[in-house]
């Protein structure tokens, strides 16, 4: 399909957040040669542009694979893979890169911290009950462990017990910081659990946030941003509309930076200072960093 508008938007947000990028061109078995070559040329031109300033590398051998895996963390090199799920062409190189790429965070430092598990999906499994999936960002979660689940619409947390744990679709005793897994919960209705909730160590006082102050860079907005504007905030698994309460400038336009105070519209969320987020509304895009929590539950 070539480089679409959404592709450019995703690339712009990744570059703004300074997230290392790799490109995968799919369905190469269907693409005519001239279309494939035009797509590769367009991607390379986009990555070399003044706004990106990246070094695109078309990976075709294991030597290029090792070079890209070693340099991906410095946020300069962008490997480009061409794959086909039908013929299997290029999949070995992509798998090899994912196995060789180093972690951006030393997760072993977080494994002795109090447990924190962010929920990004919920399921109702017949014969099992409510199952949540997500990422363990601190500590560990094991079978039979009691945790605090929340916040709900009032900002409260409830005690839950983990019935079973799955990691990569295999039953395990526990998942640790840096791993994504699925947890079956005892006597919890699926309707009471939603994406964006967290499960915390019961020894830690849980907290939910209504209002926060953030430094925001507006990547694009058609007119001007003023108090009362309501974009959607995406912070880790949290996604909710938030009202702009105040701005340190009269108006904010495309390319401007500003200190903005936000208030969630529907319910409090579990967010932390220094967390990064994306705000959007229609074609409006922006990125921000939370500086201070203004009002908790």
């Amino acid at each position: 399909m070539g480089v679409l508008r959404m592709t450019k938007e995703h690339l712009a947000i990744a570059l703004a957040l300074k997230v290392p990028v790799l490109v995968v061109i799919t369905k190469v078995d269907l693409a005519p040669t001239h279309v494939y070559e035009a797509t590769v040329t367009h991607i390379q031109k986009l990555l070399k542009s003044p706004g990106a300033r990246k070094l695109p590398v078309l990976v075709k051998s294991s030597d290029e694979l090792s070079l890209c895996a070693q340099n991906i963390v410095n946020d300069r090199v962008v490997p480009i893979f061409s794959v086909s799920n039908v013929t299997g062409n290029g999949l070995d190189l992509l798998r090899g890169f994912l196995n060789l790429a180093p972690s951006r965070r030393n997760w072993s430092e977080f494994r002795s911290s109090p447990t924190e598990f962010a929920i990004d999906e919920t399921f109702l499994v017949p014969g099992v009950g409510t199952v949540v999936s997500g990422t363990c960002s601190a500590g560990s979660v094991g079978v039979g462990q009691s945790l605090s689940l929340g916040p709900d619409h009032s900002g409260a947390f409830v005690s839950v017990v983990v019935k079973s744990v799955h990691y990569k679709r295999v039953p395990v005793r526990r998942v640790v910081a840096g791993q994504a897994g699925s947890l079956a919960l005892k006597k919890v209705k699926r309707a009471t659990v939603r994406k964006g909730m967290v499960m915390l160590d019961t020894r830690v006082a849980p907290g939910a946030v209504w209002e926060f102050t953030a430094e925001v860079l507006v990547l694009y907005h058609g007119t001007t941003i003023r108090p009362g504007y309501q974009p959607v905030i995406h912070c880790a698994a949290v996604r909710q509309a938030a009202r702009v309460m105040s701005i340190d400038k009269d108006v904010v336009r495309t390319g401007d930076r500003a200190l903005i105070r936000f208030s969630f519209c529907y319910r409090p969320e579990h967010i932390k200072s220094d967390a990064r987020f994306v705000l959007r509304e229609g074609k409006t895009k922006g990125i921000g960093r939370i500086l201070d929590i203004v009002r908790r539950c």
Side-chain angles (χ1 to χ4, degrees):
M1 296 298 292
V3 179
L4 306 178
R5 180 177 64 85
M6 186 177 293
T7 307
K8 295 179 181 179
E9 286 184 0
H10 290 171
L11 177 61
I13 291 172
L15 295 176
L17 292 174
K18 297 182 179 179
V19 176
V21 175
L22 66 124
V23 178
V24 182
I25 303 173
T26 61
K27 300 182 181 180
V28 293
D29 56 296
L30 289 178
T33 303
H34 70 282
V35 173
Y36 168 75
E37 292 175 349
T39 299
V40 172
T41 302
H42 191 175
I43 291 171
Q44 291 174 329
K45 184 178 179 181
L46 196 63
L47 292 170
K48 291 178 180 177
S49 65
R53 296 180 181 178
K54 301 295 182 181
L55 180 63
V57 177
L58 194 60
V59 179
K60 293 184 177 180
S61 69
S62 57
D63 293 337
E64 294 166 337
L65 187 68
S66 301
L67 176 68
C68 291
Q70 292 170 6
N71 290 280
I72 188 70
V73 290
N74 65 18
D75 203 24
R76 179 79 173 91
V77 171
V78 177
I80 302 175
F81 298 89
S82 302
V83 303
S84 167
N85 286 333
V86 175
T87 65
N89 180 38
L91 289 177
D92 55 339
L93 292 173
L94 179 58
R95 290 194 191 100
F97 174 81
L98 294 175
N99 286 326
L100 289 174
S103 174
R104 298 180 66 215
R105 180 178 294 183
N106 184 8
W107 287 107
S108 60
E109 296 179 356
F110 296 86
R111 289 173 185 173
S112 58
S113 303
T115 299
E116 182 172 333
F117 186 93
I119 297 172
D120 57 29
E121 194 61 82
T122 66
F123 308 93
L124 184 61
V125 180
V128 177
T130 301
V131 174
V132 298
S133 67
T135 303
C136 186
S137 55
S140 63
V141 180
V143 177
Q145 186 173 350
S146 294
L147 296 168
S148 297
L149 170 67
D152 59 15
H153 279 71
S154 62
F157 284 72
V158 296
S159 180
V160 296
V161 177
V162 178
K163 186 163 54 174
S164 63
V165 181
H166 278 64
Y167 174 63
K168 294 184 177 179
R169 300 187 180 185
V170 176
V172 295
R173 294 299 301 172
R174 68 177 53 248
V175 291
V176 299
Q179 295 180 338
S182 300
L183 315 175
L185 306 179
K186 283 186 180 180
K187 298 178 181 179
V188 175
K189 293 182 179 179
R190 185 189 177 190
T192 63
V193 188
R194 59 175 173 81
K195 177 177 180 176
M197 279 185 164
V198 293
M199 299 174 67
L200 304 175
D201 193 307
T202 54
R203 296 169 296 176
V204 177
V209 175
W210 272 111
E211 295 184 10
F212 62 94
T213 302
E215 180 184 33
V216 176
L217 168 63
V218 180
L219 301 176
Y220 176 78
H221 186 64
T223 54
T224 59
I225 294 177
R226 301 173 185 271
Y229 180 64
Q230 294 184 20
V232 176
I233 301 291
H234 294 257
C235 183
V238 171
R239 54 178 181 182
Q240 186 187 160
R243 181 179 292 104
V244 174
M245 305 300 290
S246 62
I247 310 176
D248 67 341
K249 298 180 178 180
D250 292 334
V251 292
V252 180
R253 298 184 174 90
T254 299
D256 288 349
R257 289 183 182 271
L259 292 179
I260 301 178
R261 179 172 171 173
F262 292 96
S263 177
F264 286 119
C265 293
Y266 304 109
R267 57 185 175 268
E269 300 283 5
H270 180 80
I271 56 174
K272 297 179 179 179
S273 295
D274 208 41
R276 293 182 176 272
F277 63 88
V278 174
L279 65 86
R280 67 171 184 83
E281 186 269 327
K283 291 185 178 181
T284 299
K285 298 290 185 297
I287 60 172
R289 182 170 63 90
I290 298 173
L291 299 179
D292 186 36
I293 303 302
V294 179
R295 183 163 67 93
R296 297 181 183 273
C297 288

